[in-house]
C-alpha cells in the first residue's frame, strides 16, 4: 500500500473523511476504538494554543483517507487506521511522526494509548521502548434498549437544551467543572455551526437564576447507532445534587429518540466519582485504554 501523507486542511471534505474513517473503525472494532465521531468534532472546535492544521497528519491512498495521527500538546497523541490497513506496517509511521512532533515541541516524553485487548498496538509499543502506565480511560457502555432512569431534580432547577443566549454561562460552567479558563463564546458558536452538532442532544441544567450548573453534550454516530457523551460535568458549587446524572439521563433519552441503540462515555480510571455517576446511569465497563509512555 503506497500512502502519501500531508497536513490536515480545515475543509468540510477533510472533516467528513475523518468522520467516515472513525465510523468505519467503530463498525469493525467497536467499542475498543480511540475516537468516536463526537471526539472528532468536540476536539476540532477552535481552542487557543491548538492548531488542527499543525496537530493532525493524514495518510491517503489515492483519494481515500487510510489513517491519521493527532498530536495533543504538550506531550501526547492518538492514531487511527482504517480496518483494511496493515496496521503493523502503517502504525510505526504514524508513531514516528507523533514522536517527532513531541521532540519538535521540546517534550521530555510522549504518551499514546492502547487497549488492553489490542495485541498489535501493544507489541509495537513494546518494540519501540514504551512502558505501560497505570493510568487509563474507562470505556463504559450501556444499551439504550434498557430502561433509562427517570430524571428527578429539585424544583429550583430546570433541564433544557442550550440556546445561543446560554453560551457565556455554558463556557463558565465547563471551565469550572474541568478547572480551566473559560473558552470564548465564539468557540461554542463555531461548534454549534457544525452540521454534526445536534441541539436536541445538547442538554443543560439551570439554576433558578438562569445560570447553567450542569451539562451533557451527546454526539450520534447514525450509521452505527452509537452515541457518545462528551463533555459531561457540573459546576463545583452544585455537585452531589444529582444534577449531572439528571443531564446524562435526559441526554440518553434524547439519543434513544434520535435513533441510537447504544451510548458510550470515557471517564479517566482515576476519577471514581465520575465512574460511579455513570454506573448509576446504567453504564458498564467494556474496555480500558491504557497510557503508554516513552522518554525522548
Amino acid at each position: 500500500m503506497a500512502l502519501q501523507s500531508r497536513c490536515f486542511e480545515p475543509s468540510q471534505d477533510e472533516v467528513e473523511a475523518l468522520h467516515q474513517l472513525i465510523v468505519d473503525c467503530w463498525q469493525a472494532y467497536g467499542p475498543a476504538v480511540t475516537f468516536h465521531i463526537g471526539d472528532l468534532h468536540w476536539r476540532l472546535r477552535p481552542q487557543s494554543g491548538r492548531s488542527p492544521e499543525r496537530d493532525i497528519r493524514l495518510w491517503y491512498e489515492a483519494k481515500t483517507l487510510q489513517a491519521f495521527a493527532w498530536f495533543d500538546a504538550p506531550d501526547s497523541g492518538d492514531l487511527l487506521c482504517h480496518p483494511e490497513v496493515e496496521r503493523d506496517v502503517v502504525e510505526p509511521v504514524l508513531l514516528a511522526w507523533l514522536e517527532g512532533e513531541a521532540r519538535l515541541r521540546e517534550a521530555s516524553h510522549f504518551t499514546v494509548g492502547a487497549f488492553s485487548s489490542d495485541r498489535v498496538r501493544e507489541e509495537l509499543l513494546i518494540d519501540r521502548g514504551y512502558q505501560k502506565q497505570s493510568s487509563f480511560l474507562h470505556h463504559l457502555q450501556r444499551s439504550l434498549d434498557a430502561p433509562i432512569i427517570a430524571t428527578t431534580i429539585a424544583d429550583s432547577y430546570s433541564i433544557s437544551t442550550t440556546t445561543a443566549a446560554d453560551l457565556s454561562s455554558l463556557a463558565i460552567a465547563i471551565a469550572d467543572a474541568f478547572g480551566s479558563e473559560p473558552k470564548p463564546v465564539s468557540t461554542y458558536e463555531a461548534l454549534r455551526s457544525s452540521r454534526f452538532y445536534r441541539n436536541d442532544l445538547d442538554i443543560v441544567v439551570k439554576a433558578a437564576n438562569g445560570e447553567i450548573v450542569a451539562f451533557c453534550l451527546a454526539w450520534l454516530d447514525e450509521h452505527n447507532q452509537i452515541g457518545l457523551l462528551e463533555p459531561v460535568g457540573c459546576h463545583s458549587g452544585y455537585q452531589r445534587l444529582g444534577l449531572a446524572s439528571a443531564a446524562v439521563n435526559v441526554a440518553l433519552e434524547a439519543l434513544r429518540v434520535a435513533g441510537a441503540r447504544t451510548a458510550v462515555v470515557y471517564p479517566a480510571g482515576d476519577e471514581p466519582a465520575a465512574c460511579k455517576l455513570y454506573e448509576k446511569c446504567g453504564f458498564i465497563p467494556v474496555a480500558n485504554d491504557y497510557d503508554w509512555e516513552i522518554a525522548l
Side-chain angles (χ1 to χ4, degrees):
M1 177 177 290
L3 298 181
Q4 301 294 322
S5 74
R6 59 176 172 78
C7 293
F8 170 75
E9 298 173 0
S11 66
Q12 189 65 33
D13 287 346
E14 203 101 293
V15 172
E16 292 195 9
L18 284 164
H19 183 107
Q20 186 60 50
L21 174 58
I22 294 168
V23 168
D24 292 344
C25 287
W26 268 92
Q27 186 171 9
Y29 303 129
V33 184
T34 301
F35 275 85
H36 183 276
I37 59 101
D39 296 300
L40 170 68
H41 302 299
W42 175 247
R43 287 175 62 174
L44 280 176
R45 74 195 191 283
Q47 301 182 73
S48 176
R50 300 297 177 94
S51 172
E53 295 93 327
R54 178 182 178 183
D55 296 339
I56 303 173
R57 192 151 189 94
L58 311 174
W59 278 260
Y60 277 88
E61 183 182 33
K63 295 184 178 180
T64 303
L65 180 64
Q66 300 290 351
F68 71 91
W70 195 329
F71 186 79
D72 190 11
D75 51 26
S76 64
D78 301 287
L79 60 151
L80 195 64
C81 295
H82 191 276
E84 296 179 0
V85 165
E86 296 178 74
R87 292 178 56 211
D88 56 341
V89 174
V90 176
E91 287 198 2
V93 178
L94 276 61
L95 273 173
W97 180 80
L98 286 166
E99 293 162 9
E101 283 297 298
R103 292 188 181 95
L104 284 173
R105 306 186 200 200
E106 301 181 338
S108 61
H109 64 275
F110 175 71
T111 303
V112 70
F115 287 94
S116 50
S117 59
D118 188 348
R119 297 306 305 163
V120 173
R121 176 74 58 81
E122 286 199 343
E123 289 175 6
L124 170 60
L125 295 175
I126 291 169
D127 288 346
R128 295 181 73 87
Y130 283 77
Q131 298 292 320
K132 189 175 184 178
Q133 307 298 298
S134 60
S135 53
F136 64 93
L137 292 179
H138 259 316
H139 279 228
L140 308 179
Q141 180 173 297
R142 69 152 290 164
S143 168
L144 295 178
D145 294 331
I148 297 170
I149 299 170
T151 298
T152 56
I153 56 175
D155 292 342
S156 55
Y157 300 97
S158 61
I159 301 179
S160 65
T161 57
T162 60
T163 69
D166 292 326
L167 298 186
S168 179
S169 179
L170 177 62
I172 292 171
I174 290 176
D176 180 87
F178 296 113
S180 60
E181 289 297 316
K183 300 290 191 297
V185 168
S186 59
T187 291
Y188 301 100
E189 290 173 338
L191 182 72
R192 288 164 61 88
S193 70
S194 166
R195 79 174 187 86
F196 299 104
Y197 165 87
R198 292 182 54 151
N199 186 245
D200 59 322
L201 303 180
D202 193 356
I203 308 301
V204 292
V205 179
K206 296 180 182 179
N209 62 4
E211 294 300 306
I212 291 174
V213 296
F215 51 88
C216 180
L217 174 56
W219 301 87
L220 177 60
D221 173 350
E222 294 180 346
H223 181 84
N224 292 305
Q225 298 178 300
I226 296 171
L228 169 73
L229 308 184
E230 173 66 0
V232 180
C234 184
H235 190 286
S236 59
Y238 295 85
Q239 293 177 356
R240 296 186 175 88
L241 299 175
L243 303 180
S245 58
V248 166
N249 288 326
V250 172
L252 292 176
E253 179 61 23
L255 279 170
R256 187 191 65 77
V257 171
R261 299 292 303 278
T262 305
V264 294
V265 69
Y266 313 144
D270 61 356
E271 295 180 351
C275 294
K276 186 176 180 179
L277 180 154
Y278 296 124
E279 288 171 6
K280 285 183 176 179
C281 293
F283 286 86
I284 60 172
V286 290
N288 288 333
D289 187 5
Y290 280 90
D291 287 337
W292 288 69
E293 184 177 296
I294 189 171
L296 300 176

